[in-house]
């Protein structure tokens, strides 16, 4: 599920002063069937990559998640003029090099700042601040994903109700289709008896017609499919109400719903029943697309 969280933390200063250093952390999550983790860590934080992966993997099971962590040095990271002794040393070295290599380029200001001992990040153990910031960000991200999950659950519950309504429409169609087909069989057998001589008695003809109608009824009977479909819908509604990590179970139930809708369509003996099967498949496909985003 989608979500975003941003945390900024000021690490504790041993002297109790505001050092101006800030640790920033951002989490972004978009839909994905599996957990796909991408890390963008500042150089000072790269040694803690394993910890970050472990914490995110323990908190989240699905989603394409991007973790971005950076260090803001504040005033300590501002450009400062190198010491005069360092600049004198650089000038002396440059003169020595150009004495042997007259075509060598002169040092730029950027070179002087970089080589003259530019202030870098203070040496600090970032493990505890990073762990604290990541825990806070994960909590905020899960809250954002929970809000998204409530919206998805409401949509899925609505599709469940629509599927139930379609199943109720399909139920009374089969007995009527069987009755109509039984009448057609009887009419055909009567016409056959009238068109040609036959040694069969009318009772035998009628019994044969009824047997054919019964076999036809068994072929088009969708009562079992509708019963199983209702059972799957009940389980989906129960899981959505219960909550928790239900994504993989919902995946399986959606596959089962699709199988029952396919079977109902293959047994269809009328255009109306075919349309119901198609409508069911459309709703089930909508559910399948969203279920892949649920943990």
């Amino acid at each position: 599920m989608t979500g975003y969280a941003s945390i900024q933390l000021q690490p504790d200063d041993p002297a109790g002063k505001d050092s101006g250093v800030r640790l920033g952390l951002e989490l972004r999550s978009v839909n994905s069937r599996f957990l796909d983790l991408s890390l963008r860590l500042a150089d000072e934080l790269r040694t803690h990559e394993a910890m970050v992966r472990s914490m995110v993997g323990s908190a989240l099971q699905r989603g394409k998640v991007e973790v971005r962590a950076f260090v803001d040095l504040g005033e300590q990271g501002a450009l400062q003029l190198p010491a005069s002794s360092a600049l004198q040393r650089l000038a002396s070295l440059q003169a020595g090099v150009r004495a042997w290599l007259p075509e060598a380029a002169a040092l730029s200001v950027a070179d002087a700042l970089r080589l003259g001992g530019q202030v870098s990040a203070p040496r600090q153990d970032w493990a505890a601040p990073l762990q604290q910031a990541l825990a806070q960000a994960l909590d905020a991200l899960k809250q954002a994903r929970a809000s998204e999950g409530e919206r998805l659950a409401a949509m899925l519950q609505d599709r469940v109700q629509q599927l139930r309504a379609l199943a109720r429409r399909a139920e009374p169609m089969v007995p009527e289709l069987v009755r109509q087909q039984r009448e057609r069989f009887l009419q055909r057998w009567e016409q056959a008896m009238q068109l040609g001589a036959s040694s069969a008695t009318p009772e035998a003809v009628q019994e044969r017609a009824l047997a054919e109608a019964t076999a036809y009824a068994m072929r088009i009977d969708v009562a079992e499919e509708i019963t199983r479909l209702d059972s799957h819908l009940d389980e989906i509604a129960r899981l959505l109400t219960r909550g928790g990590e239900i994504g993989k179970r919902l995946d399986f139930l959606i596959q089962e719903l699709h199988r029952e809708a396919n079977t109902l369509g293959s047994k269809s003996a009328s255009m109306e029943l075919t349309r119901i099967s198609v409508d069911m498949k459309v709703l089930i496909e909508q559910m399948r697309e969203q279920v892949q985003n649920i943990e």
Side-chain angles (χ1 to χ4, degrees):
M1 288 176 287
T2 58
Y4 173 80
S6 177
I7 297 294
Q8 286 198 5
L9 191 69
Q10 179 181 354
D12 295 332
D13 187 273
K17 299 179 180 180
D18 185 359
S19 62
V21 178
R22 298 289 188 276
L23 171 64
L25 193 143
E26 293 181 354
L27 292 180
R28 299 176 186 271
S29 172
V30 296
N31 298 330
S32 179
R33 189 171 182 179
F34 304 101
L35 180 61
D36 182 6
L37 184 57
S38 173
L39 302 183
R40 297 174 58 189
L41 305 180
D43 292 339
E44 299 88 345
L45 307 174
R46 291 188 183 278
T47 56
H48 306 298
E49 179 176 334
M51 179 192 70
V52 173
R53 290 187 177 276
S54 177
M55 289 184 65
V56 176
S58 298
L60 307 174
Q61 279 68 50
R62 282 186 170 188
K64 185 174 182 180
V65 182
E66 179 183 349
V67 181
R68 178 174 176 265
F70 56 92
V71 175
D72 181 4
L73 299 176
E75 293 183 357
Q76 295 187 31
L79 293 177
Q80 298 180 17
L81 183 66
S84 58
S85 58
L87 292 175
Q88 290 174 1
R89 178 62 176 166
L90 284 176
S92 175
L93 290 173
Q94 177 177 247
V97 170
R98 299 189 73 180
W100 288 94
L101 302 172
E103 302 299 324
L107 290 171
S108 65
V109 173
D111 293 333
L113 291 173
R114 176 171 54 85
L115 299 173
Q118 170 62 29
V119 176
S120 60
R123 298 183 61 86
Q124 181 170 346
D125 182 6
W126 292 100
L130 180 59
Q131 186 175 16
Q132 180 183 355
L134 184 56
Q136 295 178 10
L138 285 171
D139 288 341
L141 181 65
K142 287 193 286 187
Q143 290 179 8
R145 285 161 61 110
S147 298
E148 177 76 3
E150 291 176 359
R151 185 188 66 80
L152 291 179
M155 185 279 288
L156 292 174
Q157 291 283 19
D158 176 71
R159 300 303 186 273
V160 166
Q161 295 306 317
Q162 292 186 50
L163 286 170
R164 290 189 193 278
L166 289 173
R168 298 291 79 78
R169 284 173 52 193
E171 280 181 328
M173 291 183 182
V174 174
E176 178 62 20
L177 290 171
V178 171
R179 184 190 66 77
Q180 294 175 3
Q181 191 64 24
R182 181 175 295 181
E183 292 178 356
R184 294 193 190 100
F185 278 134
L186 289 173
Q187 291 174 1
R188 290 173 184 172
W189 280 101
E190 289 176 357
Q191 292 172 359
M193 291 290 293
Q194 293 172 1
L195 291 175
S198 175
S199 59
T201 64
E203 292 79 7
V205 171
Q206 185 176 21
E207 182 178 350
R208 176 67 182 275
L210 292 176
E212 292 288 341
T214 300
Y216 173 80
M218 293 177 64
R219 289 197 302 271
I220 69 170
D221 186 15
V222 294
E224 291 186 9
E225 285 74 16
I226 292 178
T227 298
R228 287 194 292 267
L229 189 142
D230 281 335
S231 176
H232 298 327
L233 292 176
D234 289 340
E235 180 64 9
I236 290 174
R238 186 187 70 83
L239 290 174
L240 292 173
T241 302
R242 186 194 71 182
E245 297 178 8
I246 60 176
K248 292 183 179 179
R249 187 165 181 81
L250 286 177
D251 271 339
F252 170 76
L253 290 170
I254 293 299
Q255 293 175 14
E256 294 301 306
L257 284 179
H258 200 273
R259 182 178 292 110
E260 302 305 335
N262 273 335
T263 305
L264 188 147
S266 66
K267 289 186 174 183
S268 174
S270 69
M271 286 301 299
E272 180 62 22
L273 200 56
T274 299
R275 281 192 289 267
I276 289 177
S277 173
V278 172
D279 290 343
M280 283 185 172
K281 291 179 184 179
V282 171
L283 293 172
I284 293 169
E285 181 62 20
Q286 292 174 357
M287 296 174 70
R288 185 190 66 80
E289 292 176 355
Q290 297 302 328
V291 161
Q292 292 180 359
N293 304 324
I294 299 177
E295 285 194 7

